[in-house]
């Protein structure tokens, strides 16, 4: 049977089956509606994945009855049980803070007196990739109870387990606080956009009336060009050549700073690819990607493939950053053509109406919102750095490379 032996040079190890009771979950009959109108929390894998990095679970989407529990393979798990998704979605972990049951997509660990549940939860998260490697199955992957029983984990004094768990919990506390702060700042920005971009709130020093118009009065919509495979994959050149996938690339949250493909001026001429100006607003124009509502700005002259479109300002009395924020409020998904393949038309987007303040006020509004973006970006950078530090700490603390207490 496959086992996982951790790289722990200084520590003894023990098999999970020696220090935990593993309890599989079960599902009551879906044909009996009353089973799912109870007060017993019943977890499914999506309840765990929704937690993101949060370690504890105290609520579930579904609740079942005592009768459902007695007539299924599910068992009521005690507080402190470590839940592990073991089927299809493998390796997501949480600790139950209320009594609950789970479906059969879980293997649940009730720890003995020699194993601290928080330490186990962190260790299972650390070996998530290994757990996936140990899973098998054709229709969907599953890691069996037998395999889990034989996985080896560090055998440490409880004091050291608790010390490691406390350090990692402190870092998680910082991460959760940063996530909450980022969410708050994003909500404030959305509310501010709603007020400033509609004229409901005016910045000090501005009182001129806003004028009604449509987007097409201020710029042009152009689609990208075909991008044959033979010209793709170059990491340098005169122009970045963006594809739809680049909209979600790392570092491209506001400006398209990174590209996976570049072309020379010579190749651009051969392809007849349009050079889109800096500060053009780009977005997906075909397929399901439209509904993701991703809009970005170009920081330099760039080319786009034919699944993308750009809006480039032609009016000297229009601020590009202001119009970018206007675009963020436009739901492009509601403007798609009613064909088999969703598609956007520049004509339809151009017909979107807006109220426009004078250029000076546009720039002032854009400056306020840009400052908010910068603050959010700084917090996100701090969060990402903290995540990387935590990963390094786990690697050191959960492999014995770093000891918090003297070995006993």
């Amino acid at each position: 049977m496959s086992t996982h032996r951790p790289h722990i040079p200084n520590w003894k190890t023990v098999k999970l089956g020696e220090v935990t009771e593993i309890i599989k979950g079960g599902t009551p009959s879906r044909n009996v509606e009353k089973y799912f109108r109870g007060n017993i929390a019943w977890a499914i894998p999506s309840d765990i994945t929704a937690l993101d990095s949060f370690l504890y679970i105290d609520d579930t989407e579904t609740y079942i009855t005592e009768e459902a529990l007695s007539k299924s393979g599910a068992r009521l798990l005690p507080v402190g049980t470590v839940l592990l998704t073991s089927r299809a979605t493998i390796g997501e972990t949480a600790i139950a803070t209320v009594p609950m049951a789970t479906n059969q997509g879980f293997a649940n660990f009730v720890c003995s007196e020699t194993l601290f549940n928080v330490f186990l939860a962190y260790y299972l998260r650390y070996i998530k990739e290994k757990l996936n490697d140990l899973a098998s199955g054709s229709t969907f992957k599953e890691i069996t109870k037998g395999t889990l029983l034989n996985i080896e984990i560090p055998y440490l004094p409880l004091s050291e387990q608790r010390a490691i768990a406390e350090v990692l919990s402190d870092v998680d506390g910082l991460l959760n606080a940063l996530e909450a702060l980022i969410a708050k700042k994003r909500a404030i920005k959305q509310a501010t956009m709603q007020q400033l971009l509609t004229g409901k709130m005016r910045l000090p020093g501005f009182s001129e009336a806003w004028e009604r118009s449509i987007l097409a009065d201020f710029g042009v919509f152009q689609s990208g060009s075909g991008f044959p495979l033979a010209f793709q994959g170059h990491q340098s050149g005169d122009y970045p050549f963006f594809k739809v996938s680049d909209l979600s690339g790392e570092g491209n949250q506001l400006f398209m700073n990174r590209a996976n493909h570049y072309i020379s001026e010579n190749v651009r001429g051969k392809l007849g690819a349009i050079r889109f100006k800096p500060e053009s607003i780009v977005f997906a124009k075909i397929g399901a990607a439209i509904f993701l509502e991703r809009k970005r700005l170009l920081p330099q002259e760039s080319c786009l493939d034919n699944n993308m479109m750009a809006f480039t300002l032609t009016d000297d009395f229009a601020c590009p950053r202001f119009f970018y924020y206007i675009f963020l409020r436009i739901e492009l998904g509601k403007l798609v053509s009613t064909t088999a393949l969703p598609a956007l038309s520049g004509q339809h987007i151009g017909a979107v109406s807006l109220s426009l303040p004078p250029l000076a006020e546009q720039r002032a509004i854009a400056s306020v919102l840009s400052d908010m973006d910068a603050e959010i970006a700084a917090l996100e950078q701090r969060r990402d750095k903290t995540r990387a530090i935590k990963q390094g700490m786990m690697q050191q603390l959960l492999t014995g490379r770093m000891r918090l207490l003297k070995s006993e």
Side-chain angles (χ1 to χ4, degrees):
M1 180 175 293
S2 296
T3 60
H4 169 58
R5 180 181 294 275
H7 176 68
I8 303 174
N10 303 321
W11 290 347
K12 295 178 181 179
T13 63
V14 63
K15 291 181 179 180
L16 270 176
E18 298 177 84
V19 288
T20 67
E21 178 188 3
I22 300 180
I23 302 171
K24 294 290 288 184
T27 300
S29 173
R30 291 285 188 181
N31 295 324
V32 185
E33 279 190 33
K34 66 177 183 178
Y35 284 174
F36 298 90
R37 295 198 293 264
N39 57 9
I40 298 172
W42 181 71
I44 59 177
S46 59
D47 289 316
I48 306 297
T49 55
L51 297 173
D52 195 15
S53 62
F54 197 64
L55 191 62
Y56 299 94
I57 180 170
D58 60 6
D59 189 22
T60 57
E61 184 179 342
T62 307
Y63 282 74
I64 61 174
T65 63
E66 291 277 359
E67 183 181 5
L69 193 65
S70 66
K71 293 184 177 179
S72 70
R75 281 178 54 183
L76 188 62
L77 305 167
V79 171
T81 300
V82 179
L83 315 182
L84 175 76
T85 57
S86 59
R87 192 178 190 186
T89 299
I90 296 170
E92 300 296 332
T93 313
I95 298 174
T97 60
V98 296
M100 67 173 56
T102 72
N103 77 355
Q104 66 271 27
F106 288 83
N108 307 302
F109 300 86
V110 178
C111 298
S112 70
E113 294 180 354
T114 61
L115 180 61
F116 184 39
N117 61 346
V118 182
F119 174 83
L120 174 61
Y122 278 118
Y123 191 77
L124 291 173
R125 287 189 171 187
Y126 174 66
I127 64 168
K128 179 179 178 179
E129 185 176 333
K130 292 291 185 182
L131 294 175
N132 276 272
D133 290 342
L134 292 172
S136 59
S138 53
T139 305
F140 46 76
K141 294 178 71 175
E142 181 172 10
I143 185 166
T144 66
K145 181 177 179 179
T147 298
L148 290 169
L149 287 169
N150 283 282
I151 286 178
E152 294 184 340
I153 66 169
Y155 186 61
L156 306 175
L158 270 174
S159 56
E160 189 164 3
Q161 293 180 44
R162 292 182 182 277
I164 291 171
E166 183 177 357
V167 168
L168 296 177
S169 293
D170 286 345
V171 180
D172 270 345
L174 175 57
L175 282 171
N176 291 328
L178 285 170
E179 290 285 11
L181 184 56
I182 290 169
K184 180 181 178 180
K185 294 293 185 181
R186 285 174 177 164
I188 292 172
K189 178 194 164 187
Q190 286 299 119
T192 304
M193 285 174 61
Q194 170 67 22
Q195 295 294 310
L196 289 180
L197 296 175
T198 59
K200 292 177 181 177
M201 179 173 71
R202 305 294 294 273
L203 294 175
F206 297 101
S207 58
E208 288 186 52
W210 289 27
E211 296 183 0
R212 295 292 299 175
S213 190
I214 60 172
L215 278 175
D217 290 339
F218 301 95
V220 295
F221 291 89
Q222 291 176 292
S223 297
S225 313
F227 193 23
L229 191 61
F231 296 100
Q232 297 181 27
H234 296 282
Q235 299 304 303
S236 62
D238 298 308
Y239 308 102
F241 203 124
F242 292 110
K243 304 178 74 171
V244 170
S245 57
D246 291 311
L247 290 168
S248 57
E250 184 179 350
N252 290 346
Q253 286 76 17
L254 175 59
F255 283 95
M256 299 291 283
N257 292 312
R258 298 185 182 182
N260 291 313
H261 310 278
Y262 285 81
I263 61 171
S264 65
E265 170 60 24
N266 183 49
V267 170
R268 188 202 67 78
K270 288 180 181 179
L271 298 177
I274 298 171
R275 289 178 299 202
F276 292 95
K277 293 180 180 179
E279 297 191 305
S280 294
I281 301 163
V282 299
F283 46 91
K285 75 159 194 174
I286 293 176
I290 294 171
F291 300 98
L292 297 176
E293 300 290 349
R294 297 174 299 194
K295 297 104 176 181
R296 306 288 187 262
L297 287 164
L298 295 180
Q300 65 182 84
E301 275 198 320
S302 308
C303 298
L304 307 175
D305 85 352
N306 52 7
N307 292 311
M308 298 180 70
M309 180 179 284
F311 175 68
T312 305
L313 289 171
T314 55
D315 192 312
D316 293 336
F317 293 94
C319 170
R321 197 65 176 262
F322 177 85
F323 273 79
Y324 166 73
Y325 289 116
I326 289 290
F327 256 84
L328 289 185
R329 299 188 68 243
I330 298 172
E331 295 182 72
L332 295 177
K334 292 184 177 180
L335 301 176
V336 297
S337 58
T338 55
T339 59
L341 181 65
L344 287 171
S345 158
Q347 183 178 1
H348 290 156
I349 309 173
V352 171
S353 63
L354 71 157
S355 293
L356 195 69
L359 181 59
E361 190 170 359
Q362 292 178 45
R363 288 173 173 164
I365 291 171
S367 178
V368 169
L369 297 176
S370 294
D371 287 346
M372 288 184 165
D373 275 336
E375 185 180 12
I376 292 170
L379 288 170
E380 289 173 337
Q381 187 175 22
R382 183 182 173 195
R383 175 202 60 197
D384 294 343
K385 184 177 180 180
T386 303
R387 281 178 178 167
I389 291 171
K390 177 191 170 185
Q391 191 61 32
M393 291 173 66
M394 291 177 73
Q395 188 174 20
Q396 295 295 312
L397 293 172
L398 297 174
T399 60
R401 293 187 178 96
M402 179 189 296
R403 303 296 295 269
L404 294 181
L405 302 175
K406 292 182 178 180
S407 57
E408 297 181 6

